[in-house]
């Protein structure tokens, strides 16, 4: 028997009070007085109950509403099993039919002549339920569709205390999730949540939509900005469109969880169960874990940003030498950032600044000879704009991934950038940027609009890159689980505080467990650079953006450079696993039940473990403060700790060792 078929279904008739006459009038009167004196009981709600392990649904067939309850029967919210797209979609005389069969609820709206105007199907699963909608007649008044709504009422918000969107985790208002318009995660996980008195209610999309925005309205309705005038003219391939006489939309998944991260984890599981995301994160090449050094911060600090005449191959060589000398890093991944191209959207390097194809290939070959890996910055949606032009992403959004010939031309560009043949640049991967600059329309909507168009663009790049080289790294800021198939790493994007990066890392770790996370580092400050590097060395890969000068023009102290280099070097031994936030702050990386990396002492230090020769286990640890530090050790054994050429004393305390560490020194732990 399937798990879905095991859902309990119980009819709950309204409660009625019956009296029974007795022979003696006095007894009857006494009984009547006693009954009147008892507390009055509310009638049990009428409907059909569907009980699952993590929630219950009470279906009111007469009213056409669904009440969501906790497993114990506490009310969470309710909603009409309807959608709204203008008055013409529900004309006078329309009839509703609701049918409950096992774990499925079907609601259909018929016109007076029998034509189907609307369909909604709810399917209960043990940890979530899905709702799919289809729409028939579209009138001239057709508007942005709203779901879980009859046009007046949506989710009952009377018990809602706050909202949560992974697009803006600090905003507690009615949640809005958008991909277009300079978003740090594009898209963020396609789920929004409401905090009710009895848990967090999550509403997400299973498939990538032909849309760019989802929001909870003040009425409780869920609106998605589908272009109905286009959807009724294209065939549905999963993102929305015409199918069997109805306009169909991607299915919703609804979760109930105790906190937001749990809701995102359940959302990921539902997307995987629907076949819309891989069950496990993609395999990771070892070099992907090298610390990242990105030219962008230094370009900004030294005023050689974008197509500046000062941003040249010689400048890149000088920057690399500075990083190696000041930070003590020998192996890392260098990102040659914006804008090395002759024109935006072209794989041709600038002929003057980088010496064209031959000059860039020579630079990359030299960097490879130094033991470095190289990634090239690529601006999505932009084409034909001179590299030196001061333009915004929105102003240059011209690429249309649905045009004939796009796949061939984009694949050729990817091959030129990371291919190894004559005329290719020989880079190791691509840093994709400006995902959010999605054009409002495409030439062939059937191939994608909105988020679906972004997915197609990334898919073409990803397939082309891995066809050229199996270990190519394609990095983007797409953080919804559906996009795991078309990217290899999630970049946390620009931020202006360590707390913002931590918030995004928690979101990505919950919604895409096991995915590689680029911690980013643009706009790090003297106050948060080291804590951010420590945290990102555990939950992903730290990225350094500055050489000798911070973004504000202040010099980076030599001691800070060395410390950042030591922390970044920890990441090279990080082999990936499941990231989890620790209670009270901090991070832990776990694989097969064993901690592989962890922040220490309130994120003032970090340790990363790697297998050594034989049965040895090697750990590398660094602390920003001096003193006794307790370090969890994954396995028992004889332990030695060495730093700066000196062995330090070790004391076992349960499964941890306590050692005296000097600040800013990289220590090696050997467990035999």
């Amino acid at each position: 028997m399937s798990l879905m078929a095991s859902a309990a279904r119980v009819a709950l008739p309204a409660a009625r009070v019956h009296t029974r006459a007795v022979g003696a009038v006095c007894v009857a009167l006494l009984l009547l007085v006693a009954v009147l004196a008892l507390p009055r009981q509310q009638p049990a709600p009428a409907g059909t109950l569907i009980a699952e392990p993590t929630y219950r649904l009470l279906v009111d067939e007469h009213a056409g509403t669904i009440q969501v309850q906790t497993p114990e029967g506490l009310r969470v919210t309710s909603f009409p099993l309807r959608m709204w797209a203008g008055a013409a979609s529900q004309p006078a005389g329309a009839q509703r039919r609701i049918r409950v069969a096992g774990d499925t609820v079907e609601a259909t709206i018929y016109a007076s002549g029998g034509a189907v105007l609307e369909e909604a199907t709810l399917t209960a699963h043990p940890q979530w339920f899905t709702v799919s909608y289809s729409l028939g007649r579209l009138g001239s008044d057709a508007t942005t569709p709203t779901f879980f709504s009859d046009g007046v009422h949506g989710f009952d918000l009377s018990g809602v205390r706050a909202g949560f969107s992974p697009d803006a985790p600090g905003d507690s208002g009615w949640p809005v999730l958008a991909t277009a318009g300079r978003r740090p995660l594009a898209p963020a996980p396609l789920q929004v949540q409401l905090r009710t008195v009895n848990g967090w209610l999550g509403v997400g999309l299973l498939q990538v939509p032909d849309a760019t925005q989802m929001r909870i309205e003040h009425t409780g309705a869920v609106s998605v900005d589908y272009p109905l005038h286009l959807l009724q003219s294209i065939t549905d391939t999963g993102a929305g469109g015409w199918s069997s006489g109805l306009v169909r939309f991607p299915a919703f998944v609804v979760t109930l969880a105790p906190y937001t991260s749990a809701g995102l984890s359940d959302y990921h599981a539902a997307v995987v169960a629907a076949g819309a995301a891989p069950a496990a994160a993609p395999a990771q090449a070892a070099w992907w874990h090298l610390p990242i050094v990105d030219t962008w911060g230094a370009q900004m600090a030294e005023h050689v940003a974008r197509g500046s005449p000062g941003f040249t191959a010689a400048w890149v060589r000088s920057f690399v030498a500075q990083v190696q000398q000041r930070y003590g890093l020998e192996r890392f991944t260098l990102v040659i950032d914006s804008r090395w191209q002759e024109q935006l959207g072209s794989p041709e390097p600038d002929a003057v600044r980088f010496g064209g194809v031959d000059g860039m290939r020579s630079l990359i070959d030299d960097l490879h000879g130094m033991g470095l890996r190289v990634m090239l910055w690529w601006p999505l949606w932009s084409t034909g704009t001179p590299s030196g032009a001061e333009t915004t992403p929105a102003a240059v959004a011209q690429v249309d991934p649905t045009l004939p010939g796009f796949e061939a031309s984009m694949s050729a560009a990817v091959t030129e950038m990371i291919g190894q043949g004559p005329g290719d640049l020989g880079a190791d991967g691509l840093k994709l940027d400006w995902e959010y600059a999605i054009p409002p329309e495409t030439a062939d909507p059937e191939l994608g609009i909105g988020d679906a168009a972004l997915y197609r663009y990334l898919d073409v790049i990803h397939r082309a890159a891995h066809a050229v080289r199996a270990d190519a790294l394609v990095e983007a800021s797409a953080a919804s689980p559906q996009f795991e198939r078309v990217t290899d790493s999630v970049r946390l994007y620009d931020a202006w505080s360590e707390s913002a990066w931590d918030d995004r890392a928690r979101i990505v770790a919950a919604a895409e467990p096991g995915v590689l996370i680029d911690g980013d580092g643009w706009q790090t400050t003297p106050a948060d650079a080291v804590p951010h590097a420590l945290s990102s060395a555990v939950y992903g890969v730290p990225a350094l953006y500055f050489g000798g000068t911070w973004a504000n023009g202040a010099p980076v102290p030599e001691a800070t450079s060395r410390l950042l280099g030591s922390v970044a070097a920890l990441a090279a031994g990080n082999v990936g696993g499941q990231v989890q936030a620790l209670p009270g702050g901090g991070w832990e990386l776990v694989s097969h039940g064993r901690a592989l990396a962890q922040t220490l002492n309130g994120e003032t230090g970090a340790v990363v473990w790697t297998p050594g020769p034989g049965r040895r286990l090697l750990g590398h640890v660094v602390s920003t403060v001096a003193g006794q530090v307790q370090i969890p050790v994954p396995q028992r054994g004889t332990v030695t700790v060495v730093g700066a050429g000196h062995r330090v004393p070790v004391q076992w305390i349960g499964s941890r060792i306590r050692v005296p560490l000097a600040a800013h020194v990289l220590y090696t732990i050997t467990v035999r």
Side-chain angles (χ1 to χ4, degrees):
M1 179 182 295
S2 70
L3 287 174
M4 291 186 297
S6 66
R9 178 169 174 260
V10 183
L12 297 179
R16 295 182 174 86
V17 178
H18 296 274
T19 60
R20 179 176 296 174
V22 295
V25 174
C26 61
V27 174
L29 290 173
L30 289 172
L31 287 174
L32 179 59
V33 171
V35 169
L36 292 174
L38 291 173
R40 299 194 65 181
Q41 301 294 319
Q42 294 296 323
T48 302
L49 185 68
I50 299 176
E52 295 289 349
T54 58
Y55 65 91
R56 303 197 318 181
L57 301 176
L58 183 62
V59 184
D60 186 334
E61 291 96 328
H62 176 72
T65 60
I66 309 289
Q67 184 181 115
V68 183
Q69 303 174 350
T70 67
E72 298 77 24
L74 299 176
R75 187 180 186 280
V76 176
T77 188
S78 63
F79 61 89
L81 192 56
R82 300 284 299 275
M83 69 169 292
W84 178 262
S89 65
Q90 298 176 19
Q95 300 293 317
R96 179 181 65 227
R97 187 186 71 185
I98 294 183
R99 187 173 71 92
V100 183
D103 56 9
T104 301
V105 183
E106 295 178 347
T108 308
I109 307 294
Y110 295 95
S112 57
V116 174
L117 300 175
E118 176 192 322
E119 286 183 345
T121 302
L122 182 154
T123 304
H125 301 261
Q127 291 181 279
W128 59 81
F129 62 90
T130 62
V131 184
S132 58
Y133 290 95
S134 302
L135 190 61
R137 179 186 301 178
L138 292 176
S140 58
D141 72 330
T143 183
T144 299
T146 59
F147 304 88
F148 304 93
S149 170
D150 58 11
V152 177
H153 303 101
F155 281 105
D156 180 4
L157 301 177
S158 60
V160 173
R161 299 294 181 263
F164 167 80
S165 170
D167 181 34
D171 186 355
S172 61
W174 302 127
V176 179
L177 187 149
T179 305
R182 192 163 179 79
R183 323 306 293 193
L185 300 177
L190 298 174
Q191 184 205 46
V192 294
Q193 297 184 31
L194 296 171
R195 182 167 69 86
T196 75
V197 293
N198 291 310
W200 285 90
L201 184 84
V203 182
L205 291 168
L206 286 179
Q207 296 85 21
V208 178
D210 281 325
T212 60
Q213 187 182 95
M214 178 171 64
R215 65 190 304 146
I216 304 288
E217 305 288 353
H218 71 280
T219 61
V222 179
S223 68
V224 184
D225 65 337
Y226 290 111
L228 290 179
H229 66 289
L230 291 177
L231 295 193
Q232 64 181 334
S233 65
I234 65 175
T235 301
D236 177 38
T237 57
W242 198 255
S243 177
S244 303
L246 299 171
V247 175
R248 301 193 183 277
F249 304 92
F252 290 93
V253 56
V254 181
T255 60
L256 184 61
Y259 46 91
T260 56
S261 293
L264 287 170
S265 296
D266 288 344
Y267 172 65
H268 169 266
V271 174
V272 169
Q284 300 170 9
W287 77 265
W288 294 3
H289 294 273
L290 291 173
I292 294 171
V293 175
D294 194 302
T295 65
W296 178 247
Q299 287 176 252
M300 292 292 284
E302 298 179 26
H303 307 290
V304 294
R306 300 185 169 91
S308 165
F311 183 42
T312 65
W315 184 93
V316 171
R317 295 177 192 274
S318 175
F319 173 68
V320 168
Q322 183 184 51
V323 168
Q324 289 178 320
Q325 179 182 357
R326 290 177 59 91
Y327 291 78
L329 283 173
E330 296 182 357
R331 298 182 62 238
F332 53 86
T333 295
L334 178 73
V335 176
I336 302 178
D337 213 298
S338 175
R339 310 176 182 176
W340 54 269
Q341 299 102 324
E342 183 79 44
Q343 290 189 330
L344 288 179
S346 167
E348 299 295 324
D350 187 281
V352 175
R353 296 182 295 113
F354 284 90
V357 171
D358 290 341
M360 181 64 88
R361 178 61 184 262
S362 177
L363 171 63
I364 293 175
D365 284 348
D366 288 348
L367 295 170
H368 283 159
M370 298 163 61
L372 308 184
R373 296 286 184 155
V374 181
M375 295 179 68
L376 296 175
W377 175 82
W378 180 262
L380 296 175
W381 309 110
S382 306
T383 181
T385 306
S387 181
E390 291 296 321
T391 53
T392 63
V396 296
Q398 303 173 33
V399 169
D400 187 340
T402 71
L403 284 173
F406 168 78
E407 184 168 355
S409 62
M410 190 67 242
S411 297
V414 170
T415 299
E416 183 171 338
M417 288 186 284
I418 67 173
Q420 304 297 312
D424 297 335
L425 302 181
D428 301 282
L430 300 174
K431 172 188 175 178
L432 306 182
D433 205 355
W434 300 355
E435 287 93 328
Y436 51 79
I438 302 172
E441 297 181 357
T442 56
D444 188 351
E446 204 158 296
L447 295 179
I449 314 166
D451 285 5
L454 172 61
Y455 186 94
R456 173 174 171 76
Y457 197 161
L458 296 177
D459 183 38
V460 170
I461 291 175
H462 190 258
R463 284 189 289 108
H466 285 270
V468 173
R469 54 183 304 165
D471 68 342
L473 176 58
V474 177
E475 178 184 275
S477 62
S480 201
Q482 299 89 340
F483 284 75
E484 283 187 37
R485 287 201 172 106
V486 296
T487 56
D488 302 311
S489 176
V490 177
R491 180 166 69 98
L492 297 185
Y493 215 76
D494 307 348
W496 287 266
S497 71
E498 171 63 0
S499 61
W501 276 310
D502 270 351
D503 285 343
R504 293 175 198 169
R506 281 189 287 267
I507 288 166
V508 175
E512 296 189 86
V515 75
L516 184 65
I517 299 175
D518 170 0
D520 211 302
W522 164 232
Q523 286 288 359
T524 48
T525 67
D528 62 20
V530 174
H532 180 58
L534 284 165
S535 295
S536 54
V538 175
Y539 64 62
V541 178
L544 307 180
Y545 274 65
F546 302 100
T549 308
W550 296 114
N552 62 6
V556 180
E558 289 282 353
T560 302
S561 298
R562 284 289 170 180
L563 176 58
L564 285 170
S566 297
V567 173
L570 292 176
N574 191 329
V575 295
Q578 300 289 318
V579 178
Q580 55 192 38
L582 296 172
W587 297 92
E588 185 177 50
L589 182 72
V590 178
S591 179
H592 299 95
R594 190 165 83 169
L596 301 180
Q598 186 173 323
T599 54
L600 306 169
N601 258 12
E603 296 184 84
T604 61
V607 61
V608 176
W609 297 97
T610 55
R615 302 188 65 179
R616 287 190 298 173
L617 182 67
L618 297 179
H620 292 91
V621 63
V622 67
S623 177
T624 61
V625 295
Q628 296 286 337
V629 177
Q630 291 193 23
I631 304 170
V633 180
Q635 69 184 42
R636 297 287 297 192
T638 302
V639 177
T640 57
V641 180
V642 176
H646 300 285
R647 188 166 174 172
V648 298
V650 176
Q651 179 184 3
W652 277 98
I653 302 176
S655 61
R656 297 169 177 260
I657 56 172
R658 184 167 65 185
V659 293
L661 300 182
H664 306 176
V665 173
L666 181 64
Y667 291 84
T668 299
I669 307 172
T670 304
V671 185
R672 302 176 186 275

